[in-house]
């Protein structure tokens, strides 16, 4: 059992964070503590990336398997260059176009990173977040910050401080509350060690916009959960674990607008007759159905999916641009997926 601590939640201005608050948080990081902070994508659970004991706390608090490596967050390019052993030209292009921003580059690691931070791999995942609280915290702590999403392993990534508290209350000393995150979906993870870069996890920056910068990139074939058995574990350790299981069950219905709507109506009728509370998330403005909640879809699907209902039926959306990352998360959240 981990020792229970008092979790302080401090509200901080996301645009212009107060120096006193940042200093307090940075001091905790410098002392080897682990804290939660906002980024533009989701909240992170951060500790000193160069300190094995801080990093081991992160794995422990999250209940995360130690072979699933963490993203290292940096605030300046100088620190970045100390973490990697080489920066291919395409990586430089992505960096100048998208950093700070929601894209994480996997590159060959340098020797200053302890093994535990990279799950024993010879590569490291790095990104520069576009959030002043995160950036000021990293600068003030004067260390790169290793941070996975600030949720218990297997739960959806938190997009506000309350989500973090739900999962981590009593386990960490501090949550910096910078309000709701702007993007609500994690960063794109792209492996830049291959001749043709490979997107390991779709996210905040779409494949299309990356290709506009550097030409063809591949998508990892496990994105949509369709080819689970062909996953190369060494390349993308995170993919063998089931993520994003909200407390309600999610049923994903894909198909033409007409078929999907009919299926959703039938399913709802059946589930309601079994006494279930049903939420429907749809892109259709004309769905007439007797559900407990009819939700038009925004970008923070996982957030809405949390806690509220027994069953959530979600209508599939187009697999392009941001839709690709959203469908990836929905596939992972769903207990059942129906194509009609
Ligand atoms: O937006 C985000 O990326 C958020 C915020 C907090 O920055 N972070 C986040 O971290 O989503 P996490 O740990 O939940 O997801 C990191 C993903 C995992 O799928 C992990 O397997 C992969 O990045 N990853 C990390 N290091 C890697 C490496 N060296 N090679 C391949 N994949 C790696
Ligand atoms: Mg995560």
């Amino acid at each position: 059992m981990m020792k229970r601590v008092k979790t302080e939640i401090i509200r901080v201005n996301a645009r212009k964070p107060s120096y006193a608050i940042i200093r307090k948080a940075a001091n905790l990081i410098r002392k080897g503590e682990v804290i939660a902070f906002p980024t533009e994508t989701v909240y992170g659970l951060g500790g000193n990336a160069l300190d094995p004991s801080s990093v081991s706390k992160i794995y422990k608090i999250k209940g995360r398997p130690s072979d699933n490596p963490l993203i290292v967050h940096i605030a300046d390019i100088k620190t970045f260059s100390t973490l990697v052993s080489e920066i291919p030209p395409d990586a430089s292009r992505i960096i100048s176009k998208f950093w700070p921003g929601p894209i994480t580059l996997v590159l060959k690691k340098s020797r200053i990173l302890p093994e535990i931070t990279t799950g024993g791999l010879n590569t490291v995942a790095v990104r520069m977040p576009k959030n002043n609280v995160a950036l000021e915290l990293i600068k003030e702590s004067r260390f790169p910050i290793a941070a996975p999403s600030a949720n218990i392993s297997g739960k959806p990534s938190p997009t506000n401080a309350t989500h973090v508290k739900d999962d981590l209350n009593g386990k960490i000393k501090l949550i910096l509350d910078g309000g709701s995150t702007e993007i609500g979906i994690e960063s794109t993870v792209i492996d830049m060690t291959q001749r043709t870069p490979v997107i390991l996890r779709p996210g905040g920056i779409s494949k299309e916009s990356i290709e506009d910068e550097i030409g063809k990139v591949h998508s990892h074939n496990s994105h949509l959960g369709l080819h689970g058995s062909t996953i190369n574990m060494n390349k993308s350790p995170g993919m063998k674990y089931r993520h994003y299981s909200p407390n309600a069950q999610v049923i994903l219905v894909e198909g033409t607008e007409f078929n999907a709507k009919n299926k959703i109506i039938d399913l709802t009728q059946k589930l309601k007759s079994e006494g279930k509370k049903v939420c429907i998330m749809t892109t259709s403005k004309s769905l007439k159905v007797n559900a407990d909640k009819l939700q038009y879809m925004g970008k923070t699907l996982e957030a809405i999916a949390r806690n509220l209902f027994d069953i959530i039926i979600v209508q599939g959306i187009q697999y392009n641009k941001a839709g690709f990352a959203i469908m990836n998360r929905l596939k992972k959240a769903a207990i059942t997926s129906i194509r009609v």
Side-chain angles (χ1 to χ4, degrees):
M1 271 291 280
M2 237 180 310
K3 207 176 99 216
R4 234 188 126 71
V5 296
K6 183 169 166 9
T7 303
E8 194 180 355
I9 303 178
I10 305 182
R11 178 81 210 178
V12 55
N13 186 311
R15 271 193 216 107
K16 266 191 107 209
S18 120
Y19 177 64
I21 297 170
I22 293 295
R23 193 179 48 192
K24 178 179 171 133
N27 281 341
L28 286 170
I29 301 265
R30 290 188 65 75
K31 277 198 289 191
E33 294 288 340
V34 167
I35 65 160
F37 64 95
T39 78
E40 81 281 31
T41 56
V42 299
Y43 275 70
L45 178 64
N48 177 356
L50 305 184
D51 172 29
S53 118
S54 301
V55 175
S56 103
K57 283 184 195 163
I58 300 176
Y59 284 100
K60 210 157 140 198
I61 291 165
K62 261 188 84 88
R64 176 165 173 138
S66 60
D67 61 348
N68 188 6
L70 309 179
I71 294 175
V72 179
H73 297 69
I74 46 103
D76 61 86
I77 294 296
K78 210 169 135 214
T79 310
F80 167 65
S81 53
T82 66
L83 302 176
V84 298
S85 63
E86 86 187 79
I87 307 173
D90 279 348
S92 301
R93 282 186 204 110
I94 291 179
I95 289 167
S96 39
K97 175 76 183 178
F98 299 110
W99 276 7
I103 184 161
T104 297
L105 306 187
V106 172
L107 293 161
K108 292 214 180 78
K109 80 178 199 66
S110 75
R111 267 184 293 195
I112 70 164
L113 281 163
E115 266 199 6
I116 185 169
T117 307
T118 58
L121 298 179
N122 58 9
T123 54
V124 59
V126 193
R127 86 176 189 101
M128 187 188 291
K130 191 177 181 175
N131 175 289
N132 287 345
V133 178
L135 290 170
E136 294 302 318
L137 176 67
I138 300 164
K139 278 185 210 152
E140 185 65 21
S141 71
R142 283 172 276 140
F143 286 114
I145 293 185
S149 48
N151 51 281
I152 297 292
S153 222
K155 291 285 162 200
S157 297
T159 57
N160 64 40
T162 308
H163 298 164
V164 179
K165 183 172 173 241
D166 288 347
D167 272 16
L168 302 180
N169 193 28
K171 296 186 168 167
I172 54 176
K173 286 194 177 153
L174 179 64
I175 299 172
L176 288 180
D177 176 0
S180 287
T181 61
E182 275 166 44
I183 295 179
I185 208 153
E186 301 91 332
S187 63
T188 302
V189 179
I190 184 164
D191 181 357
M192 300 304 298
T193 67
Q194 309 297 308
R195 189 189 301 221
T196 305
V198 183
I199 295 179
L200 300 177
R201 176 179 73 181
I205 303 283
S206 70
K207 182 175 191 234
E208 290 86 340
S209 29
I210 298 169
E211 288 186 329
D212 283 347
E213 283 312 302
I214 61 168
K216 180 78 191 151
V217 301
H218 290 311
S219 288
H220 198 283
N221 57 12
S222 73
H223 286 172
L224 299 169
L226 300 174
H227 311 285
S229 57
T230 61
I231 297 172
N232 174 350
M233 297 298 182
N234 293 328
K235 273 268 130 321
S236 48
M239 291 179 183
K240 66 183 162 180
Y241 303 107
R242 180 160 183 257
H243 287 84
Y244 310 103
S245 56
N247 290 342
Q249 297 181 328
V250 174
I251 299 172
L252 181 62
V253 181
E254 286 183 86
T256 60
E257 185 77 7
F258 180 82
N259 287 348
K261 272 172 31 182
N262 283 333
K263 185 74 191 177
I264 290 170
I265 292 167
D266 286 355
L267 261 177
T268 306
Q269 214 164 34
K270 177 165 167 288
L271 291 164
K272 293 288 292 174
S273 74
E274 293 166 8
K276 297 282 200 311
K277 269 180 84 183
V278 179
C279 169
I280 293 170
M281 294 171 63
T282 174
T283 48
S284 160
K285 291 234 154 82
S286 61
L287 186 63
K288 294 237 168 1
V289 61
N290 177 30
D292 297 278
K293 187 170 175 85
L294 195 58
Q295 175 82 46
Y296 293 107
M297 290 199 285
K299 54 185 175 173
T300 61
L301 296 170
E302 302 109 304
I304 301 165
R306 287 171 61 86
N307 293 328
L308 294 173
F309 297 89
D310 304 316
I311 307 264
I312 299 175
I313 301 175
V314 185
Q315 185 174 354
I317 60 169
Q318 293 289 322
Y319 289 84
N320 61 15
K321 303 211 166 122
F324 199 77
I326 289 170
M327 286 302 285
N328 166 261
R329 304 307 191 275
L330 282 173
K331 285 263 181 184
K332 287 178 172 174
I335 50 156
T336 313
S337 205
I338 301 169
R339 185 173 280 283
V340 286

